Amino acid sequence: MTASRTHTVIDSPIGELTLVNTDGMLSGLYMSDHHPAPDATTFGPQTSEGFDEAGGQLREYFDGTRTTFTFPIAPVGTEFQRTVWTALRAIEYGTTSTYGEVAASIGRPTAVRAVAAANARNPLSIIVPCHRVIGSSGRLTGYAGGVERKQFLLEQEARIAHAPTPA
């Protein structure tokens, strides 16, 4: 049985985002100049149908009114990669974690490099917040969309998360 795939492209404050839908679930979110670059020939036909919920929640995220995503996702990867991606989703909005902390959280404290590799292969940037993972020194490390985008996302989240609440 072959999966039904479609894609759309939406604008965002960090440039165009390509969303890929597989059988009704978001399976990919890629930025322009994404590295490593996915094979765009596998995205299926371009359409706007089936992306309302994901597109709307991403707009809310960039507007600062959404801190979590609730639509169904279907990232494709190895069992280890999916375990890492689940751990990434547990990193709270407006905070960061290190590769070592993620490795420890999945019970594999010596697998720091494997965690970094799984992080780099995350097919759902932003939704699975790999941008929240930083080096052990506190420095921003590589990001599939570029370190500038990672910095933008982290600064936006910090600004929203630490904004004073109205009285």
Side-chain angles (χ1 to χ4, degrees), residues 16-101:
E16 287 186 339
L17 302 175
T18 299
L19 308 180
V20 180
N21 181 318
T22 302
D23 294 332
M25 293 188 282
L26 196 71
S27 60
L29 186 156
Y30 305 103
M31 295 164 258
S32 54
D33 303 324
H34 199 95
H35 184 75
D39 180 0
T41 64
T42 66
F43 293 171
Q46 186 168 351
T47 180
S48 60
E49 291 182 33
F51 293 97
D52 291 342
E53 190 173 11
Q57 288 189 26
L58 282 161
R59 279 189 292 283
E60 292 169 355
Y61 169 82
F62 284 114
D63 289 344
T65 59
R66 175 172 290 279
T67 60
T68 60
F69 298 97
T70 58
F71 51 82
I73 61 172
V76 176
T78 67
E79 183 178 340
F80 180 79
Q81 288 171 329
R82 290 190 312 272
T83 298
V84 170
W85 301 336
T86 297
L88 298 180
R89 293 193 81 189
I91 302 170
E92 291 187 29
Y93 180 92
T95 67
T96 58
S97 187
T98 66
Y99 295 101
E101 290 168 339

Side-chain angles (χ1 to χ4, degrees), residues 5 10 53 93 108 146 158 162-163:
R5 295 181 71 144
I10 64 171
E53 190 173 11
Y93 180 92
R108 304 274 305 273
H162 304 302

Side-chain angles (χ1 to χ4, degrees), residues 87 91 96-107 109 112 115 132-134:
I91 302 170
T96 58
S97 187
T98 66
Y99 295 101
E101 290 168 339
V102 173
S105 78
I106 63 169
V112 175
V115 165
R132 296 181 190 153
V133 182
I134 60 174

